[in-house]
Amino acid sequence: MIPRYSRPEMAALWTEEAKFGRWRNIELAALAAMAEQGLAPQEASEACQAKAGTFDAADVAAIDEIEKTTRHDVIAFLTFMEQRIGPLARWLHFGMTSSDVLDTALALVLREAADVLQKSLERVMKAVKARAFEHKQLRIMGRSHGIHAEPTTLGHKLALWYDELARHQERLSRARKAISVGMCSGAVGTFAHLPPSIEESMCRRLGLMPANASSQIIQRDIHADYFLVLAQLATSIEKFAVEIRHLQRTEVGELEEPFGKGQKGSSAMPHKRNPVLSESLTGLARLVRSYAWAALENVPLWHERDISHSSVERVIGPDATITLDFMLHRFADLVESMRVYPKAMEHNLNRLGGVIYSQRLLLALAQKGMERQVAYGIVQRNAMRFFEEGVDFKTALLADGELLSLMTWAEVEACFEEDYYTRHMDEIFARVFGETG
């Protein structure tokens, strides 16, 4: 992923230096297991452990130079290690195939990436929770089909977001566990040259579970599931960003992204304050979803393995995790600094002349004994007077003799009580957060 959308903590996991460090750890873990079980000399394991070293930019360049000849990255790496360690390095990779290293390394880095994403997600959830409690009772117009429905609160909107994020937290935890699978089963997964006990010992040393069964590779449905989880989380972030974008529209004006001193919204129009952070989140979510689709395409490989998945994973592994990590922090920044405009919310609540209280009138008439469809007709015809004649809803109701034959003026007035719609916020918050605040 380009630097513009990368954070150092996540990007560091995907450097060449980090990759070769994981390959080294896998080779050393496998050799230690072989030595422990008498399949390789103990002195070879000890020598390789002592001389394996770390990797810097010069080492990466040296391995890359070898690969120009070998045209095989793992062989280039092993050649470099033989040059660094000496003759005993011949025991590295003994009985193994390249995918034993590559797939186990992919599991390690995706597990590390999941840990970083969990931290980033926790920051988002903390920000959303804080703003939810801050605005728990702040009334805002609820909308369905983009049209005014009934009042809700800004805190309720945010509580919904938090609840959704909590589900993603569970999904990400599950995906981390599922992806933490290593292998050392050989060319077609039959353990022809090393017994399953070597794989078990190697994986234990790396903190992984051995695959129940593998071909030349770990099966890609496992990886597809991981990337689908990332895509779902990115899509929810987009969903929240789209809500902010709508509420920032000039005609709505209830929320607004932070707009810093010196910030410019348009090269042509100096007055512009655009929701650029939210819009970028929408665009980045499209990328993360596309990576999930690519991961699904990787599942049906030929026979025991082909390499059509390899080039895909070299791109989607770093790009999906780096992009999502960036999205989470951008969204956290947005929520933490989001501007809230209660006056605009109140204005929008009142702009339809009270028709948003229509359901209370409908239910009140039903409670009085009127048939529902008859009651619906009475309430609707009075509501329509606002749209067609500009008559305030309450005024229209209090002039309707049929309605007043069942309801008093005081009973009509009671149906416009504002707090009626928000009286269960404490109960909702207790369900979502385990506390009411």
Side-chain angles (χ1 to χ4, degrees):
M1 177 50 62
I2 62 174
R4 184 183 186 93
Y5 302 122
S6 303
R7 295 182 60 258
E9 183 180 7
M10 182 65 87
L13 299 182
W14 295 98
T15 65
E16 291 293 284
E17 292 87 345
K19 180 185 77 175
F20 291 134
R22 282 185 286 271
W23 290 10
R24 172 204 61 208
N25 293 345
I26 293 163
E27 294 283 2
L28 292 176
L31 181 53
M34 289 183 246
E36 181 181 67
Q37 297 183 33
L39 298 178
Q42 185 63 38
E43 64 173 325
S45 178
E46 292 173 356
C48 289
Q49 290 278 356
K51 297 180 180 180
T54 57
F55 300 89
D56 58 21
D59 299 324
V60 171
I63 296 170
D64 288 345
E65 189 63 30
I66 296 170
E67 190 181 349
K68 290 178 181 178
T69 300
T70 64
R71 299 179 68 84
H72 192 291
D73 52 358
V74 175
I75 294 175
F77 170 76
L78 292 169
T79 302
F80 176 85
M81 296 301 285
E82 290 169 6
Q83 295 171 356
R84 173 180 275 186
I85 295 171
L88 288 175
R90 69 184 184 276
W91 290 98
L92 290 174
H93 209 69
F94 185 83
M96 297 171 66
T97 191
S98 297
S99 290
D100 290 330
V101 178
L102 296 174
D103 279 12
T104 303
L106 184 56
L108 290 172
V109 69
L110 291 178
R111 182 181 67 181
E112 292 179 65
D115 290 337
V116 175
L117 290 172
Q118 282 285 22
K119 286 172 53 182
S120 302
L121 179 54
E122 286 169 8
R123 183 191 167 200
V124 172
M125 293 177 71
K126 180 180 179 181
V128 171
K129 179 179 179 179
R131 298 309 297 268
F133 276 94
E134 179 184 355
H135 300 295
K136 182 170 70 171
Q137 295 294 345
L138 179 58
R139 293 169 67 250
I140 188 172
M141 195 64 247
R143 298 170 173 91
S144 56
H145 305 276
I147 305 300
H148 286 200
E150 290 185 340
T152 180
T153 73
L154 179 57
H156 185 218
K157 282 181 179 283
L158 294 166
L160 283 165
W161 295 3
Y162 185 93
D163 196 41
E164 190 164 337
L165 291 167
R167 291 192 292 276
H168 288 302
Q169 195 174 44
E170 294 176 3
R171 292 184 185 107
L172 190 56
S173 178
R174 174 182 54 77
R176 181 194 187 277
K177 181 179 179 181
I179 203 67
S180 299
V181 175
M183 64 174 287
C184 189
S185 58
V188 292
T190 60
F191 300 99
H193 306 289
L194 293 171
S197 59
I198 297 298
E199 180 184 77
E200 292 165 4
S201 178
M202 182 197 82
C203 288
R204 183 171 61 251
R205 294 166 188 271
L206 297 169
L208 301 173
M209 291 294 294
N212 289 334
S214 51
S215 56
Q216 193 176 95
I217 59 166
I218 292 171
Q219 303 307 288
R220 259 42 194 182
D221 65 292
I222 295 173
H223 303 76
D225 182 59
Y226 181 94
F227 287 100
L228 283 166
V229 168
L230 303 193
Q232 288 181 83
L233 175 51
T235 300
S236 286
I237 295 299
E238 180 190 8
K239 168 186 167 181
F240 308 151
V242 167
E243 179 73 4
I244 294 170
R245 287 168 63 188
H246 170 73
L247 297 179
Q248 185 168 332
R249 289 174 55 218
T250 305
E251 295 81 3
V252 181
E254 295 172 350
L255 297 179
E256 186 182 34
E257 290 183 2
F259 194 85
K261 184 178 181 181
Q263 183 175 341
K264 305 294 189 290
S266 166
S267 63
M269 297 169 284
H271 72 278
K272 294 281 279 177
R273 292 160 68 109
N274 301 325
V276 293
L277 301 179
S278 299
E279 289 173 343
S280 72
L281 290 171
T282 288
L284 293 173
R286 294 170 184 167
L287 284 177
V288 181
R289 283 194 294 273
S290 74
Y291 301 142
W293 182 257
L296 287 170
E297 294 282 357
N298 280 349
V299 175
L301 302 178
W302 285 22
H303 305 299
E304 276 60 54
R305 181 219 182 188
D306 63 62
I307 67 163
S308 60
H309 67 292
S310 177
S311 55
V312 176
E313 288 171 353
R314 291 175 192 270
V315 174
I316 69 172
D319 278 15
T321 54
I322 290 172
T323 302
L324 180 56
D325 181 58
F326 177 86
M327 289 180 67
L328 291 169
H329 282 272
R330 168 156 286 188
F331 185 66
D333 289 338
L334 197 167
V335 172
E336 289 166 354
S337 304
M338 182 172 63
R339 299 181 181 184
V340 177
Y341 296 110
K343 289 184 178 179
M345 294 176 186
E346 188 64 25
H347 170 76
N348 288 330
L349 283 162
N350 295 326
R351 68 182 300 175
L352 293 188
V355 299
I356 59 175
Y357 303 107
S358 67
Q359 185 174 184
R360 285 208 70 192
L361 270 299
L362 170 64
L363 298 180
L365 287 171
Q367 288 172 328
K368 292 286 188 178
M370 183 175 284
E371 292 181 11
R372 181 182 177 87
Q373 294 308 314
V374 175
Y376 194 104
I378 292 173
V379 175
Q380 186 181 46
R381 77 183 179 219
N382 283 288
M384 292 305 106
R385 291 192 65 190
F386 173 80
F387 296 105
E388 296 163 5
E389 305 170 39
V391 177
D392 176 81
F393 185 46
K394 188 188 298 183
T395 300
L397 292 168
L398 294 176
D400 190 306
E402 188 176 6
L403 180 142
L404 293 179
S405 69
L406 287 178
M407 295 182 66
T408 67
W409 281 37
E411 288 173 330
V412 172
E413 289 278 359
C415 291
F416 289 80
E417 178 189 358
E418 296 178 353
D419 292 341
Y420 174 87
Y421 293 89
T422 61
R423 68 192 189 281
H424 294 300
M425 282 301 128
D426 281 346
E427 295 165 72
I428 295 171
F429 271 55
R431 287 181 173 185
V432 173
F433 302 106
E435 55 183 300
T436 59

